[in-house]
Amino acid sequence: KTEPENAALVEFARLVNANLIWLQTGIGRGAGQLPREGRSVPAITLEQATKDSIDYASEEMIHTYYPCSDKAFIVPINDGRNEPTYKAGYRVVIDPLRKPVPGKMVLAVVNREPVFGEYAEKSGKRVVIRPLNDKWPTEILNPKKGDRIIGTMTEFAGQAP
């Protein structure tokens, strides 16, 4: 276990708009001080997200920090293909209206299964979803089999409660 250098901690507090004393001790106000420019989005299952027409029905609404469309939603990550960055059980905000670009994380349907990974284009037309964990295979989308991009990740929402 290490202690952060004071200058680094001060800079981090400034970047995230947090109270320095709260970061150092956990005492006082500090949580919830980031400005929220997002909206309330439903937390749905991967099964709901991968239907041909997304089922937005949810009892849980979560407010995002960053702007996203009214079609955005939160889903859990279901496997270890992107560990240690994104672990199974973590949740991410996916926006179906945000155009995927190479290097961004996306949610896709490949062989009728949900796949979360890094978007890449090969040879101009072929689309692949690369895992961040090298132990998992790269997935090639085949639109003729119903494979498709569902949406692009706009933010990491943390662990599910």
Side-chain angles (χ1 to χ4, degrees), residues 4 10 26 45 50 71 74 84 87 112-113 118 135 138 155-156:
V10 169
T45 66
T50 56
K71 300 297 182 193
I74 292 178
K87 296 180 181 180
R112 293 184 283 220
E113 294 293 326
E118 184 181 40
K135 295 177 183 173
T138 295
E155 78 184 74
F156 172 67

Side-chain angles (χ1 to χ4, degrees), residues 79-96:
D79 58 39
R81 79 177 57 240
N82 297 293
E83 289 185 354
T85 306
Y86 303 101
K87 296 180 181 180
Y90 284 5
R91 300 192 298 181
V92 293
V93 178
I94 301 292
D95 191 341

